[in-house]
Amino acid sequence: MLFHTWPFLVFVLIVLPVFFALKKTRLWIPWLMAASYFFYGWWNPYYLVLVFYSTVLDYLLVTLMDHCPLGGKGSEPQRRLTHPHFDDAVLKYAFIVAALLTVGAFTLGIWGPPTLRPTMALLGLICLLMTLGALLSSRKIWLLISLINNLALLLFFKYARFVIENLNAAFNWMHWSVTLPDPSTLMPFNFPYVLPVGISFFTFQSLSYTIDFYFGKVYRERNFLRFATFVCFFPQLMAGPIERARHLLPQFIEFPEVRLKNFTDGASLFVVGLFKKLALANYLSFYVERVYENPKSFGAPALMLATFAFAWQIFFDFSGYTDMARGIAQVMGFRLILNFNNPYLSTGLGEFWTRWHISLSSWFRDYVYIPLGGNRGGAFRIYRNLFITFLISGIWHGAAWTFAIWGILHACGIMVTRELERSAMYREDVPKILKQIAVFIFVCFTWIFFRAESLSDAFLISGRIFKAAWTNPEVPALMLLLVFVVWLYQFLLELPGREVLKTGLVRVSVVVAMVVYLCICSSGAGSFIYFQF
């Protein structure tokens, strides 16, 4: 269900009045959860099972983790294996149930219906680990189960086909008579094998809860409905921002305060996001798609302008979604984190990643970069950690070599410029506008690999930019004008006196102008780019 479509308008006109009507009851959380599940199920009701399964398992894992010693594992683990005993009744019953489920799952995995066997085998492994976790009273094992479960779901649905195709190609190149089956053959009951929308977002959000609880950074949520709502909260379910439990979960404890400012600010933020999507992102996509679908037919200027246009298209598309998500959440009284902060005004690549997709960048920082060692150790270890983090970030965006190279390019850029950006000469002597232009040019170049249909197209475009003839790019003047106006507005927001742009009169005027433009010059509906990730 897309924010800029009629079904969503009808959905909101039903959900919001009922939500506010339930203010003085305990039913507002169940209603919000039901609305969120309906919102996700509108795309494909079968994949609601994934959201519910992931939610239930992580809720149970943290509950069981809470009954284990803080040391990470129970005392005398070897003795517990040979002489089982339980100091906690919850862990005792968890052991019994998990053991029975292990036997049942492995039985179906061996003798059950063929289409169900792979799924049952994986569930049997998870149940076996749960049996071991209960027996040893080990918090680490509960955390390990959450990591395996969430990452297995993500890896299977997002990367299995890519990995199998590449392995089969390698086997064929080595003349091995081995062919791995397509992952669709592993789907239970022959369900269609498609990438669930938003899986990268809700798995990361749920996984961060278990990790944060393990390290004592968040309390255990005892109300299952509140936790389920946190995982599937419909404004940010499909494409973020990726919320943390310590920020969003406390907002579901009590009904949010109803204030007129929430309605006005939320509605204006939603209109801004709608404008970014329909008037800017969709309009820019016409030129970008025309050039990138057949790059051989265009000269250097068209390829450069299309890359420039895509840089702004993906920003308008993704930040537009998060603006709409934050806007509809604020109308209800909930605050979602800022996900974009004028990233194309960054004066360094390090700064760029503190402004672009902030929720994902901070997620990788906290759960990948820092656990790898972060800034601790020598230069080699720091650069190694940076390289691994950005490589994983690139692969997170999609199962293609183009995304891996996109991440590697950013890793190399960060490693090369890290010390330069920290130097006094760079900070004080190099004009700010030159630093902003340099960063924007580098980011635009990397977007070639992000947007190209294939790796060969990416290399073709990056080469033709420097070699192809300088023919007329036939670029729409309105495209450049719209981008210039937005860039100028962002630039003015970071200058002294920017408070003038935040006054009520200016804000209302801008929103009214956006609404008028949308009514006259809307570029039509289209799916959000980040839905594919």
Side-chain angles (χ1 to χ4, degrees), residues 479-498:
M479 183 181 84
L480 295 180
L481 177 62
L482 289 172
V483 170
F484 174 75
V485 170
V486 173
W487 206 350
L488 178 63
Y489 181 78
Q490 292 182 354
F491 184 78
L492 293 175
L493 278 176
E494 299 203 348
L495 292 178
R498 58 184 175 271

Side-chain angles (χ1 to χ4, degrees), residues 315-421:
F315 168 72
F316 292 140
D317 190 282
F318 196 17
S319 67
Y321 176 91
T322 54
D323 285 346
M324 286 187 272
R326 294 176 61 231
I328 197 66
Q330 188 167 347
V331 167
M332 292 187 287
F334 303 108
R335 302 281 178 165
L336 301 182
I337 61 173
L338 180 69
N339 212 21
F340 291 88
N341 184 22
N342 300 334
Y344 292 148
L345 297 182
S346 303
T347 58
L349 291 178
E351 182 186 352
F352 175 80
W353 283 105
T354 65
R355 290 170 172 254
W356 176 275
H357 202 346
I358 299 169
S359 63
L360 180 68
S361 301
S362 61
W363 201 98
F364 278 114
R365 179 198 64 204
D366 295 343
Y367 302 117
V368 178
Y369 180 68
I370 292 177
L372 284 172
N375 294 330
R376 300 187 300 274
F380 174 79
R381 290 187 177 182
I382 294 174
Y383 290 145
R384 178 204 63 185
N385 299 339
L386 285 169
F387 184 86
I388 294 174
T389 301
F390 276 98
L391 176 60
I392 295 175
S393 174
I395 296 173
W396 177 89
H397 283 84
W401 290 112
T402 51
F403 294 112
I405 292 180
W406 175 76
I408 290 172
L409 287 173
H410 271 281
C412 294
I414 288 283
M415 291 188 291
V416 169
T417 61
R418 185 172 182 268
E419 295 302 324
L420 173 64
E421 292 176 5

Side-chain angles (χ1 to χ4, degrees), residues 114-116 184-193:
T115 59
L116 196 60
S184 60
T185 60
L186 303 178
M187 291 295 292
F189 305 114
N190 294 318
F191 284 154
Y193 176 73

Side-chain angles (χ1 to χ4, degrees), residues 269-334:
L269 189 56
F270 187 90
V271 171
V272 169
L274 193 66
F275 181 82
K276 286 181 178 180
K277 172 60 180 173
L278 296 184
L280 300 175
N282 286 1
Y283 180 68
L284 292 173
S285 70
F286 298 147
Y287 187 78
V288 174
E289 290 173 3
R290 184 164 68 93
V291 175
Y292 266 78
E293 285 179 358
N294 189 19
K296 293 180 181 180
S297 303
F298 294 90
L303 293 171
M304 286 192 293
L305 283 171
T307 303
F308 168 82
F310 176 72
W312 284 98
Q313 179 200 349
I314 193 171
F315 168 72
F316 292 140
D317 190 282
F318 196 17
S319 67
Y321 176 91
T322 54
D323 285 346
M324 286 187 272
R326 294 176 61 231
I328 197 66
Q330 188 167 347
V331 167
M332 292 187 287
F334 303 108

